[in-house]
Amino acid sequence: MGTIIDEIIDSLKKGQGKRVTDLVKMALEEGVTAQTILEEGFLSGMGQVADKFRNEEVGVPEILSVTRALDKGVQSLRRYTGANNEKEVGTVILGTVKGDMHDIGKNLVKMMMESKNIRVIDLGVDVSPRRFLDETLASKARIVCLSGILSQSEQDMRAVIKEFEEKGVRNRVYIMVGGYFMDEEQAKKIGADCYTEDAGTCAEKALQYLSKIDKKRHKQ
């Protein structure tokens, strides 16, 4: 098991999308679970790439190549496991805040959330507070997930939360934040509901919240 997972990580880091796709099929045929491929393969590999990017050991072209390989791998995993046929548990608005063009962390969160059958509306990078608000209202999403790794991300996330407050709809959404310069204390200071330091925990917290809402709805 370890060998093929290592191959997936290596191919992912090299941006070899076709090879990643083939390895996913091989791993599943060998009995490796989809969750293991996600967490020990994709999540671990992207985490290593993210560390290199933060240390300026790789550049944007390499990141784009790796991201494309990840997308193909995730699509392959869904195709072979039939994940798309399962009922979605809720909707999350996801994006990197205004002024920030980084998307590795955001993409990992999306991948992990979708693995738990959460519908993710990915707004991409450099997303304005107004767009976060408009897309949330249009989709009736119950969670807004803000990503940002720049030093000013705290202020940019606060601007998004303020947008919801000024429109009188802050109490309608659960706002989650994460990023290189964020921590639990900063999250509380800017008015966020939840801070998580990794994609796996973020997806789990989102699932817990959506499940809690669903239970309340059925009791009413």
Side-chain angles (χ1 to χ4, degrees), residues 51 54-55 148-151 153 178-183 186 195:
D51 288 340
R54 279 195 290 267
N55 294 329
I149 70 169
L150 301 179
S151 57
S153 292
Y180 190 63
F181 287 95
M182 292 297 297
D183 57 30
Q186 287 175 302
Y195 161 78

Side-chain angles (χ1 to χ4, degrees), residues 96-102 124-129 132 147-153 156-157 160:
T96 303
V97 293
K98 186 72 176 174
D100 194 334
M101 304 300 291
H102 300 89
V125 299
D126 192 28
V127 184
S128 69
F132 273 112
S147 175
I149 70 169
L150 301 179
S151 57
Q152 72 262 24
S153 292
D156 295 321
M157 289 177 180
V160 175

